[in-house]
Amino acid sequence: KSTDGCGQWRQVLLPVPGGTVITSLVIDPRTPSIVYAAYTTYTNSGMNNGGVFKSIDSGETWITVQHGLSDTEGVVALVIDPSAPARIFAATPQGVFRSTDAAASWTPINSGLTSLNVWSVSIDRTGSLLRAATAAGLFEYQVAASAPSGTVPVIEYFYAAFDHYFITSNPDEIRK
């Protein structure tokens, strides 16, 4: 862990058994002290199990957040929805899992996936489009419809030559 822009580092220990690999780290964009770590444990026969750890104190202490992930062979990637950081997605060899409660519980969302062997996940900046990279290709999943933004400023123009009114919320048109 570095707290000075990578000038110095110190080791932070996670409570993991031998053969465990941390496969992904993600930081809550609204609360940077919340960190999630995905892991997979390997044995002589390959992947054995895995899951997710959560820290609420910048990685000083960790808890296991496995409810709903207990049967996975491992978690290979995580992504946090930037528009709703309590919504987290996990890529696993058993498909994509979603948490809507900051990793307290997980549910699979595999509708439409032709391969459950998911290698990576990403989400667009609006939080509406999730992409999953699988052994069968790239899949897109509409997570949520874009929410209306509430109120926006508008301005009304009048063009006397046509006796016509024009209303716009486009910032480029308003500046003209």
Side-chain angles (χ1 to χ4, degrees):
K1 174 180 174 179
S2 176
T3 57
D4 64 357
C6 301
Q8 296 182 351
W9 291 87
R10 70 177 176 84
Q11 185 175 12
V12 176
L13 298 176
L14 282 117
V16 296
T20 299
V21 175
I22 301 301
T23 55
S24 182
L25 287 171
V26 292
I27 300 170
D28 185 310
R30 292 193 188 149
T31 311
S33 62
I34 298 176
V35 183
Y36 300 91
Y39 71 93
T40 298
T41 301
Y42 292 91
T43 63
N44 291 338
S45 61
M47 277 195 244
N48 186 21
N49 63 23
V52 177
F53 287 105
K54 179 179 181 180
S55 174
I56 59 170
D57 58 5
S58 302
E60 296 301 319
T61 60
W62 297 87
I63 59 169
T64 305
V65 285
Q66 299 295 100
H67 185 66
L69 287 175
S70 58
D71 294 333
T72 63
E73 289 181 6
V75 177
V76 294
L78 295 172
V79 66
I80 295 178
D81 182 340
S83 67
R87 191 165 47 191
I88 306 160
F89 299 90
T92 78
Q94 287 80 37
V96 176
F97 286 77
R98 172 178 54 197
S99 174
T100 58
D101 54 11
S105 63
W106 298 88
T107 55
I109 56 164
N110 297 319
S111 178
L113 287 178
T114 58
S115 170
L116 296 182
N117 189 8
V118 181
W119 300 330
S120 185
V121 286
S122 67
I123 194 162
D124 72 338
R125 65 178 153 230
T126 67
S128 62
L129 187 63
L130 179 74
R131 291 181 177 94
T134 75
L138 182 65
F139 291 84
E140 291 185 339
Y141 180 74
Q142 190 71 37
V143 177
S146 297
S149 62
T151 61
V152 295
V154 297
I155 192 164
E156 182 181 64
Y157 294 100
F158 177 70
Y159 187 63
F162 292 147
D163 191 28
H164 177 75
Y165 288 91
F166 173 70
I167 298 174
T168 185
S169 64
N170 183 316
D172 293 330
E173 291 176 339
I174 291 172
R175 276 193 291 272
K176 291 180 181 182

